[in-house]
Amino acid sequence: MSTVPRRTALDALHRSLGATMTDFAGWDMPLRYGSERDEHQAVRTRAGLFDLSHMGEITVTGPQAAQLLNHALVGNIATVGTGRARYTMICRADGGILDDLIVYRTGATEYLVVANAGNAQTVLDALRERASGFDAEVRDDRDAYALIAVQGPESPGILAAVTDADLDGLKYYAGLPGTVAGVPALIARTGYTGEDGFELFVAPEHAERIWQALTEAGAAAGLVPCGLSCRDTLRLEAGMPLYGHELTEALTPFDAGLGRVVKFEKEGDFVGRAALEAAAEKAAANPPRKLVGLVAEGRRVPRAGFAVVADGTVIGEVTSGAPSPTLGQPIAMAYVDAAHAEPGTAGVAVDIRGTHEPYRVVALPFYKRQK
């Protein structure tokens, strides 16, 4: 099996912009172009442009596409209207999370499932296996799409300059076909930054044209290209989970505080139902640990895997940590014992290389945009 990282359709453009590249989930991706703090602040105050072509697109079509997805995933996909999207998860039979997903209904019997880059093959294999007995086709469309995101408060105006689509009528978690810079695209009002913004699914051969058009349209508004590094600090501030950190096969959606995505009321059985019903009861009665926010009293930055302590006893573990450009302090998400999970709980610290650094427990998210 090749160990050479895959390159997106925008690879040469990233290099021409001086991007620092990194191997991410088998893809060569831009980590940053300049200062990750500047890129982060641009998205919070103006707009940023991201290449997300490493994400995994899987198309599910056919008369029983909705029934298949209802069986395969924990959400109620049958109630998603055409042109709308839903955040959901795919779990193992034991309730462990295989991946978190966004499912777009693109037609009467057609859905686009978007998986995380590192899990795309796992999700594809699981959907194909679970499709047995359903009149539906599962198609690997990872090579059919490039994915470009424009995120931030200025993004609607920037995109409006290069599209004929009705962006004002496009709700959050909705998508519609349109033309961007003269080429066809699926325009979705989704994102992973905590800001308003759009994700554009386009043919790879059109990616550079759309990137350049958005760059030109956004120049006066202060749009900048953004890498994976600021995407991580943006999603962390917004309290959005990242697979491999807040979400893993060892956790159920209820462990992650995301039990709301599991729809027991939908018709028929679904993979993991029995295990998830048990997990829901356990979480309601006696949650082992809860996902919380931590804000540093000092300047040292916590990292994933660091122990959270109270009175010298380990009470949890950091899942993600970084300096927060918006708050001006280090922040972290962590699973901690329920007894220490209430916002304002005193005496909580993170063990950073042997020193117990004091942290405040806060409710997630750390940052919420002004509507």
Side-chain angles (χ1 to χ4, degrees), residues 26 30 63 75 92 97 115 123 125 137 202 228 250 269 272 281 299 302-303 305 314 321 368:
R92 303 189 311 193
I97 303 166
V123 173
D125 293 345
E137 178 197 352
V202 303
L228 291 178
D269 196 14
E281 283 181 31
R299 310 304 307 167
R303 297 297 181 192
V314 175
K368 204 175 259 183

Side-chain angles (χ1 to χ4, degrees), residues 223-296:
L223 174 135
V224 301
C226 294
L228 291 178
S229 186
C230 84
R231 190 167 184 250
D232 192 48
T233 52
L234 288 160
R235 71 92 195 166
L236 177 56
E237 287 184 350
M240 295 174 164
L242 176 63
Y243 196 88
H245 290 257
E246 289 72 41
L247 309 174
T248 70
E249 286 191 39
L251 298 169
T252 73
F254 294 95
D255 295 323
L258 291 167
R260 64 182 180 277
V261 307
V262 182
K263 303 301 181 187
F264 293 120
E265 70 276 12
K266 65 179 174 178
E267 283 185 28
D269 196 14
F270 63 90
V271 177
R273 179 192 272 274
L276 289 167
E277 283 174 343
E281 283 181 31
K282 182 181 171 188
N286 185 24
R289 283 185 169 173
K290 288 186 174 178
L291 187 65
V292 302
L294 298 175
V295 178

